[in-house]
């Protein structure tokens, strides 16, 4: 655990140090090669040597018209320029200011000397787009149109091989938007060699796959723990939060789930993304509340739940054009939740809750990663930090929960050791042997006393003993087996334990002899009534059984002796109840002994033969019950 914490803090420190060094460079610089007035000069650029180029800057733009793709000889002037990447709403066109809905044509001329085998990376736009290079269509995202009925937006992120295009290159994009609050080319394309584009995609896939794998594992394990121990809600909230975050990662960056979600359509894609954003925020808040219920007040928790549910319902019931208008409000809400969570964690840390500092670190890492990607959005050439921010943000509560589970398991282990010691003391005091059967793994353990009772050395392994029922005396085996099977089949118990019927039976010793044991068992049962564990104690009662049998034989001998006496004999207590009569008495009186022994004298049949019988009652001055006899 200490090693994991050190690695976590080292990674977090490196992340924050890198962000600090980047921030120390001052304002975000403009790209070295940026388009001006619709022209990007790359005549001195060597793609093999210098790498890829983002096609950002001022693109030529014509509003409310789809112009024919420009060929090499095209040179018609345009009346406007538009910054790429960026949305077109808010830009002045003539005397009007553009809104979100509409369509237009983007143009960019790229000056180059020797065009090589190039590829174009086309990121996902929020608008429908059709792209042309030197008059030839090379890609499309959905179907652009002049109104909402003819426009179909689609999710698409593409790597397009251009071959060896002629210089100068003319890139034309027909773009229309009627389904999102931000229209236009909101992300810049990237031009480079096929090898560079392939390398870019591979690193992007590795980055997103690593983050996604880590987050999903962090989600599955706590949920499995919750299914095993349902009283703890924190693992459930953490698991669901991590899975929700995994969906967000898979629908961002290289969009690993695009082949699955893409066919559902633009609206469905955005709904899945937004729902998981909202659900993830609420689930993380519930997780923090479950860890720090005193610091995290009940009212803020209710408010966060209400806002999240309202936002999710709004996303599910409205089209993308409507619910994307909520994005600024959602961002503000997430920021407020983050501030409140930071406050709660800071208060918990101030009270000595060390786990709160780990969660604060994860929150800080996520904030740094998102801030970096937002600040360097225009010039970011490599992979984004956000997936790793998500991973650290999920890892932080995972470490917190792991520490909590470790402490709980340590306490449980200590209780188990104490309980085992108490059991051992009890076993030694009562000289009882113990059989412990784990029904889930079908493993049986025996105590040392159990082995000694049956004549086996105490260090004999469990596998060295015959199966239990083979140790039961053959005359008792069927009875014991049936009793045990009946208990196992009983699913009517309402508690987590079931006490088996106590039994006395014989067991076979290793030396060929046998012993009498008194067995009492208890079973731990699951919610469905199945036995999970069975523990049975055995006490050697051979001596008491021999004494009991001797007394029984002695009593039988006396009874047989009385029955052979030719004189009628009866034994009564002080309340005139018959305790014993012999056969001669039965023959003389004409009453069966079972009709009078231990019967109420008023209800017992009163024979009326002979004065001897009438005079056989107990003396009034006798010494007590069972001491008086009368001879018939």
């Amino acid at each position: 655990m200490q090693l994991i914490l050190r690695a976590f803090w080292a990674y977090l420190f490196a992340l924050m140090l890198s962000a600090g060094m980047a921030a120390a460079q001052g304002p975000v610089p403009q790209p070295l090669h940026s388009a001006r007035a619709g022209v990007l000069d790359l005549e001195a650029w060597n793609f093999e040597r210098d790498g890829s180029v983002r096609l950002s800057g001022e693109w030529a733009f014509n509003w409310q018209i789809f112009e024919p793709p420009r060929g090499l000889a095209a040179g018609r002037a345009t009346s406007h320029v538009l910054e790429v990447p960026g949305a077109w709403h808010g830009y002045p066109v003539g005397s009007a200011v553009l809104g979100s809905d509409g369509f237009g044509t983007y143009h960019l001329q790229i000056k180059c000397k020797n065009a090589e085998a190039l590829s174009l990376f086309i990121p996902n736009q929020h608008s429908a787009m059709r792209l042309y290079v030197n008059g030839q269509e090379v890609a499309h995202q959905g179907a652009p149109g002049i109104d909402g009925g003819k426009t179909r937006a689609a999710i698409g992120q593409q790597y397009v091989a251009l071959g060896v295009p002629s210089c100068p290159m003319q890139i034309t994009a027909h773009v229309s938007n009627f389904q999102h609050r931000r229209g236009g080319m909101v992300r810049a394309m990237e031009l480079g060699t096929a090898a560079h584009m392939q390398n870019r995609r591979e690193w992007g896939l590795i980055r997103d796959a690593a983050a996604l794998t880590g987050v999903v594992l962090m989600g599955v394990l706590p949920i499995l723990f919750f299914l095993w121990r349902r009283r703890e809600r924190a693992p459930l909230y953490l698991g669901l939060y991590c899975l929700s975050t995994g969906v967000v990662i898979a629908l961002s960056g290289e969009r690993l789930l695009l082949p699955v979600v893409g066919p559902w359509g633009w609206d469905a894609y955005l709904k899945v993304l937004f729902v998981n954003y909202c659900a993830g925020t609420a689930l993380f808040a519930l997780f923090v509340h479950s860890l720090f219920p005193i610091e995290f007040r009940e009212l803020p928790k209710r408010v966060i739940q209400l806002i999240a549910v309202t936002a999710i319902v709004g996303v599910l019931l409205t089209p993308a054009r409507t619910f994307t208008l909520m994005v600024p409000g959602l961002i503000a809400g997430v920021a407020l939740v983050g501030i409140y969570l930071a406050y709660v964690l800071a208060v918990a840390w101030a009270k000595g809750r060390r786990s709160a500092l780990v969660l604060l670190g994860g929150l800080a890492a996520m904030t740094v990663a998102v801030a970096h990607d937002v600040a360097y959005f225009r010039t970011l050439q490599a992979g984004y930090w956000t997936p790793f921010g998500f991973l650290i943000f999920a890892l932080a509560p995972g470490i917190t929960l792991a520490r909590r589970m470790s402490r709980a398991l340590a306490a449980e282990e200590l209780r188990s050791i104490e309980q085992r010691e108490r059991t051992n003391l009890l076993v030694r005091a009562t000289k009882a042997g113990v059989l412990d059967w784990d029904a889930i793994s079908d493993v049986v353990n025996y105590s040392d006393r159990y082995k000694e009772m049956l004549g086996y050395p105490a260090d004999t392994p469990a596998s060295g003993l015959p199966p239990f029922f083979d140790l039961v005396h053959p005359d008792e085996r069927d009875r014991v087996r049936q009793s045990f099977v009946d208990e196992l089949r009983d699913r009517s118990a309402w508690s987590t334990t079931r006490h088996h019927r106590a039994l006395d039976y014989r067991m076979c010793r290793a030396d060929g002899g046998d012993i009498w044991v008194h067995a009492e068992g208890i079973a731990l049962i699951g919610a469905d009534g199945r036995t999970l564990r069975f523990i049975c104690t055995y006490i050697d009662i051979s001596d008491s059984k021999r004494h009991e049998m001797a007394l029984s034989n002695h009593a039988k001998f006396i009874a047989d002796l009385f029955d052979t006496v030719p004189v009628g004999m009866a034994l009564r207590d002080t309340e005139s109840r018959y305790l014993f009569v012999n056969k001669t008495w039965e023959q003389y009186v004409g009453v069966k002994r079972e009709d009078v022994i231990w019967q109420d004298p008023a209800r017992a049949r009163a024979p009326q033969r002979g004065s001897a019988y009438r005079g056989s009652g107990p003396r009034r001055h006798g010494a007590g019950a069972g001491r008086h006899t009368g001879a018939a």
Side-chain angles (χ1 to χ4, degrees):
M1 181 59 65
Q2 292 295 329
L3 182 62
I4 295 175
L5 287 174
R6 289 174 184 174
F8 169 76
W9 286 115
Y11 191 83
L12 176 61
F13 176 75
L15 181 64
M16 299 185 68
L17 180 62
S18 301
M21 293 175 61
Q25 297 177 1
V28 179
Q30 292 294 322
L32 181 62
H33 292 274
S34 182
R36 294 289 182 268
V39 178
L40 179 60
D41 188 356
L42 297 179
E43 290 184 344
W45 191 266
N46 186 305
F47 288 96
E48 288 286 352
R49 180 193 65 209
D50 302 326
S52 62
V53 176
R54 283 170 57 86
L55 306 184
S56 58
E58 298 176 348
W59 284 53
F61 178 71
N62 284 319
W63 179 245
Q64 297 295 80
I65 186 173
F66 285 149
E67 292 188 339
R70 293 188 176 187
L72 296 179
R76 191 168 76 84
T78 56
S79 55
H80 308 287
V81 293
L82 211 59
E83 191 72 22
V84 175
W88 60 39
H89 68 276
Y91 274 80
V93 175
S95 59
V97 177
L98 300 184
S100 299
D101 295 348
F103 62 98
T105 304
Y106 287 83
H107 293 292
L108 179 66
Q109 183 185 65
I110 301 177
K111 294 182 178 181
C112 53
K113 285 188 176 180
N114 298 314
E116 307 163 41
L118 300 178
S119 291
L120 191 63
F121 166 62
I122 308 171
N124 178 63
Q125 307 293 344
H126 292 164
S127 307
M129 181 182 71
R130 181 171 283 109
L131 188 69
Y132 303 87
V133 176
N134 290 343
Q136 300 294 320
E137 181 179 345
V138 296
H140 66 273
Q141 293 181 5
I146 60 175
D147 56 44
K150 298 179 180 179
T151 298
R152 180 178 57 83
I155 302 299
Q157 182 163 285
Q158 300 157 289
Y159 291 84
V160 179
L162 301 179
V164 184
S166 303
C167 290
M169 295 171 57
Q170 299 285 345
I171 297 181
T172 303
H174 292 170
V175 181
S176 66
N177 177 68
F178 296 93
Q179 296 172 305
H180 199 276
R181 70 181 188 88
R182 301 180 71 218
M185 293 176 61
V186 296
R187 295 183 176 89
M189 292 178 281
E190 190 172 332
L191 183 65
T193 63
H196 184 83
M197 290 294 106
Q198 182 179 359
N199 185 64
R200 182 192 193 284
R201 174 165 174 76
E202 288 175 352
W203 276 109
L205 290 174
I206 292 174
R207 175 201 66 210
D208 290 358
L212 178 61
T213 302
V215 169
V216 169
L217 287 176
M218 286 293 301
V220 172
L221 294 179
I223 290 178
L224 292 178
F225 179 81
F226 169 76
L227 294 177
W228 174 58
R229 187 184 177 92
R230 300 196 178 187
R231 291 179 296 176
E232 285 280 347
R233 290 298 182 93
L236 175 63
Y237 296 142
L238 175 60
L240 293 178
Y241 162 74
C242 289
L243 294 182
S244 177
T245 300
V247 173
V248 173
I249 293 176
L251 295 180
S252 307
E254 293 297 326
R255 291 170 170 78
L256 300 178
L257 280 183
L258 187 60
V260 177
V261 182
W264 298 355
W266 169 258
D267 265 27
Y269 168 86
L270 288 182
K271 286 180 186 294
V272 173
L273 188 62
F274 275 66
V275 165
N276 280 277
Y277 268 129
C278 299
T281 302
L283 288 169
F284 188 78
L286 289 174
F287 172 74
V288 174
H289 177 269
S290 64
L291 294 182
F292 310 106
I294 297 177
E295 293 80 6
F296 198 136
R297 302 292 183 182
E298 189 69 20
L299 180 59
K301 186 193 81 168
R302 299 289 184 186
V303 171
I304 292 173
Q305 288 179 303
L306 178 61
I307 294 176
V309 171
T310 302
I312 291 174
V313 172
V315 169
L316 294 177
L317 297 182
T318 59
R321 181 66 181 86
T322 301
F323 68 74
T324 54
L325 296 175
M326 299 188 300
V327 170
L330 292 177
I331 294 176
V334 171
L336 291 175
V337 171
I339 293 172
Y340 181 73
L341 292 179
Y343 165 76
V344 169
L345 295 174
V347 171
W349 180 39
K351 292 182 178 180
R353 308 288 294 276
R354 295 177 57 187
S355 57
L357 185 59
V358 180
L359 293 177
L360 270 175
L363 191 60
M366 183 64 186
T367 303
V368 168
V370 173
H372 170 272
D373 289 354
V374 171
Y376 287 82
F377 180 78
R378 290 177 176 270
T379 57
L380 196 61
Q381 295 287 341
Y384 297 105
W385 286 14
T386 300
F388 294 108
F390 274 126
L391 178 58
I392 297 176
F393 194 42
L395 183 62
I399 292 175
T400 300
L401 187 62
R403 292 182 61 184
R404 185 177 182 181
M405 291 166 56
S406 177
R407 290 193 296 267
L409 291 175
E412 187 72 23
E413 183 178 359
L414 181 60
R415 285 193 296 269
S416 177
I417 293 174
E418 293 176 350
Q419 184 176 6
R420 190 182 308 120
E421 290 298 324
R422 294 195 200 98
T423 303
N424 291 337
L425 288 173
L426 181 63
V427 168
R428 287 194 292 269
T430 59
K431 297 182 179 181
V434 178
L435 179 150
D436 187 350
W437 175 47
D438 187 341
I440 298 177
S441 58
D442 196 21
V443 174
V444 183
N445 291 309
Y446 308 99
S447 70
D448 293 346
R449 173 58 182 159
Y450 177 89
K451 301 171 188 175
E452 293 170 354
M453 287 167 50
L454 296 176
Y456 294 90
D459 58 354
T460 304
S463 58
L465 271 69
F468 169 76
F469 288 110
D470 290 351
L471 291 171
V472 178
H473 194 279
D475 295 344
E476 315 275 358
R477 191 172 297 157
D478 291 341
R479 176 174 67 90
V480 174
R481 188 195 304 272
Q482 188 60 47
S483 175
F484 184 69
V485 170
D486 291 342
E487 295 283 0
L488 290 182
R489 290 175 177 173
D490 181 13
R491 304 290 178 84
S492 61
W494 290 94
S495 64
T496 58
T497 58
R498 178 192 299 120
H499 292 272
H500 286 225
R501 292 188 299 271
L503 295 176
D504 294 344
Y505 49 86
R506 287 171 291 172
M507 295 188 72
C508 302
R509 287 176 50 85
D511 57 9
D514 58 70
I515 61 172
W516 277 92
V517 296
H518 176 75
E520 293 190 16
I522 184 173
L524 304 179
I525 60 176
D528 58 353
R530 293 179 182 272
T531 298
L532 305 178
R533 188 178 181 185
F534 174 73
I535 302 174
C536 189
T537 60
Y538 298 87
I539 298 177
D540 186 352
I541 59 171
S542 300
D543 292 341
S544 61
K545 271 292 182 180
R546 282 193 290 269
H547 183 64
E548 178 185 334
M549 293 174 65
L551 290 177
S552 176
N553 292 334
H554 183 66
K556 185 175 184 301
F557 171 76
I558 293 176
D560 291 343
L561 180 62
F562 270 96
D563 281 341
T564 59
V565 174
V567 177
M569 302 181 68
L571 181 67
R572 293 194 290 181
D573 61 11
T574 57
E575 297 180 0
S576 298
R577 289 177 302 188
Y578 285 93
L579 303 179
F580 174 78
V581 297
N582 67 353
K583 288 184 178 179
T584 303
W585 187 92
E586 288 182 306
Q587 295 171 359
Y588 177 76
V589 176
V591 178
K592 295 292 185 182
R593 65 180 67 182
E594 55 266 20
D595 293 334
V596 295
I597 292 178
W598 290 111
Q599 297 295 321
D600 185 350
R603 295 184 179 181
R605 199 164 42 165
Q608 301 293 330
R609 288 182 59 185
S611 59
Y613 173 80
R614 290 192 296 271
S616 62
R619 301 184 183 94
R620 296 184 180 275
H621 59 278
R627 297 287 302 276
H628 310 288
T629 61

